[in-house]
C-alpha cells in the first residue's frame, strides 16, 4: 500500500531534479524591465532626482490648510525651517498620493515644557482622509525621557502599534522619519480589499516593520476603514499648550 503512495512522489521529485539539471544559468537571468536610473542626494537625507520636494526651506507652495483646502498653508517659514502655527490648524499637501516613500525631519524646541501627550505633540498623517485629524497618524512627540502610553509615543502608529524601540534624540536636535507607505485598497462596494502597511525608520532605526494598519486613527474607539482613493499627506497642529515644533527637508517618491 505504501508503495502506491510513494511512487508518484518519487517520480515527481526525480522529474523536478531532471528539470533543474536541464536548466541553463541564463534561464533565471532577466534583462527587462530595466530599473530607472535615479541620482541619489549628496547624503541619504537629500532628495534624490526623482523625488517631489514638499518643503525645501523656502515656502509652503506645496501645502494648503486641511480644513480650508482652497487656502494656502499658514504656518511660519523662517531660516529654512517651517514651524507649526497652532491657530492655523493642520496643513496638508496640495497633491494626493497612493503608495510612496517619504523623508521628513522634525525638531522639538529645546526649551519644550509639558508632559505626556502635551509635550511637542504633532503628527504625520500618511493619508489625510478628511478635515481635522482624520487619517492614519504616525505620532510625532517629544518621547525623550517623557513617558506616555507606548502606542502614543513618537514612532508609534497612533493607538495601533508602539515603536519597536525608542531612538528619540533630546529636544533641540533634528530627527528624521523615513517612511514607506502602502495605501489600503477598496472594492467597488467600499469594502476593504487590502489593508495599509507602513514601515518607518526613525533616526535611521527601524520602529515600524511593515505594520498592517487596522484602519484610520481614532482617539476614542477602535480603528476602522472607510473607502478612499489617493489622499494628501498631512501634518498636525496639535491643540496642546506646549511650544510648536518645526520641520525641514520633506520629500516624497511615488511608488
Ligand atoms: Mg499627534
Amino acid at each position: 500500500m505504501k508503495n502506491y503512495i510513494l511512487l508518484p512522489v518519487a517520480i515527481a521529485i526525480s522529474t523536478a531534479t531532471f528539470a533543474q539539471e536541464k536548466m541553463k544559468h541564463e534561464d533565471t537571468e532577466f534583462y527587462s524591465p530595466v530599473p530607472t536610473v535615479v541620482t541619489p542626494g549628496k547624503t541619504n537625507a537629500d532628495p534624490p532626482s526623482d523625488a517631489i520636494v514638499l518643503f525645501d526651506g523656502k515656502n509652503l507652495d506645496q501645502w494648503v490648510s486641511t480644513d480650508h483646502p482652497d487656502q494656502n498653508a499658514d504656518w511660519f517659514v523662517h531660516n529654512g525651517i517651517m514651524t507649526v502655527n497652532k491657530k492655523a490648524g493642520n496643513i496638508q499637501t496640495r497633491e494626493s498620493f497612493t503608495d510612496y516613500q517619504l523623508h521628513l525631519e522634525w525638531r522639538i524646541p529645546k526649551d519644550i515644557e509639558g508632559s505626556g501627550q502635551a509635550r511637542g505633540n504633532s503628527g504625520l498623517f500618511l493619508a489625510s482622509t478628511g478635515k481635522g485629524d482624520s487619517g492614519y497618524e504616525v505620532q510625532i512627540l517629544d518621547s525623550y525621557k517623557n513617558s506616555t502610553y507606548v502606542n502614543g509615543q513618537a514612532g508609534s502608529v497612533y493607538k495601533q502599534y508602539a515603536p519597536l524601540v525608542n531612538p528619540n534624540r533630546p529636544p533641540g536636535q533634528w530627527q528624521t522619519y523615513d517612511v514607506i507607505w502602502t495605501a489600503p485598497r477598496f472594492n467597488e462596494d467600499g469594502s476593504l480589499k487590502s489593508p495599509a502597511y507602513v514601515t518607518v525608520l526613525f533616526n535611521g532605526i527601524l520602529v515600524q516593520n511593515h505594520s498592517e494598519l487596522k484602519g484610520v486613527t481614532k482617539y476614542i474607539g477602535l480603528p476602522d476603514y472607510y473607502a478612499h482613493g489617493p489622499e494628501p499627506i498631512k501634518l498636525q497642529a496639535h491643540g496642546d499648550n506646549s511650544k510648536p515644533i518645526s520641520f525641514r527637508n520633506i520629500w516624497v517618491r511615488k511608488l
Side-chain angles (χ1 to χ4, degrees), residues 28-193:
T28 49
E29 296 165 3
F30 304 101
Y31 287 85
S32 68
V34 177
T36 306
V37 173
V38 174
T39 307
K42 282 181 187 156
T43 74
N44 288 354
D46 292 331
S49 59
D50 62 347
I52 298 168
V53 176
L54 296 175
F55 179 65
D56 65 358
K58 295 190 181 98
N59 58 60
L60 295 175
D61 290 356
Q62 300 288 334
W63 300 82
V64 297
S65 159
T66 292
D67 291 346
H68 307 282
D70 56 323
Q71 295 177 14
N72 293 331
D74 190 23
W75 286 13
F76 307 109
V77 177
H78 56 103
N79 296 333
I81 67 175
M82 79 158 95
T83 298
V84 176
N85 176 3
K86 296 203 177 192
K87 284 182 187 161
N90 296 347
I91 64 170
Q92 64 188 36
T93 54
R94 227 173 258 288
E95 195 170 340
S96 291
F97 301 92
T98 304
D99 304 333
Y100 59 79
Q101 173 188 350
L102 176 85
H103 176 87
L104 173 148
E105 301 180 18
W106 53 275
R107 186 181 67 184
I108 302 289
K110 196 170 183 178
D111 54 351
I112 190 77
E113 291 179 342
S115 63
Q117 291 288 310
R119 188 178 168 91
N121 196 331
S122 180
L124 166 65
F125 286 86
L126 304 160
S128 171
T129 55
K131 293 187 174 184
D133 289 343
S134 54
Y136 311 85
E137 183 182 11
V138 170
Q139 177 67 304
I140 295 175
L141 186 74
D142 176 23
S143 291
Y144 182 81
K145 299 181 179 173
N146 173 39
S147 64
T148 183
Y149 40 96
V150 296
N151 58 351
Q153 71 181 69
S156 67
V157 176
Y158 188 73
K159 294 216 169 170
Q160 294 191 38
Y161 296 103
L164 296 170
V165 292
N166 178 346
N168 279 258
R169 295 189 173 117
Q173 294 188 22
W174 285 101
Q175 319 209 53
T176 60
Y177 275 174
D178 288 281
V179 176
I180 298 158
W181 169 244
T182 304
R185 303 299 202 269
F186 298 91
N187 296 306
E188 282 196 3
D189 66 359
S191 60
L192 184 68
K193 189 175 182 185

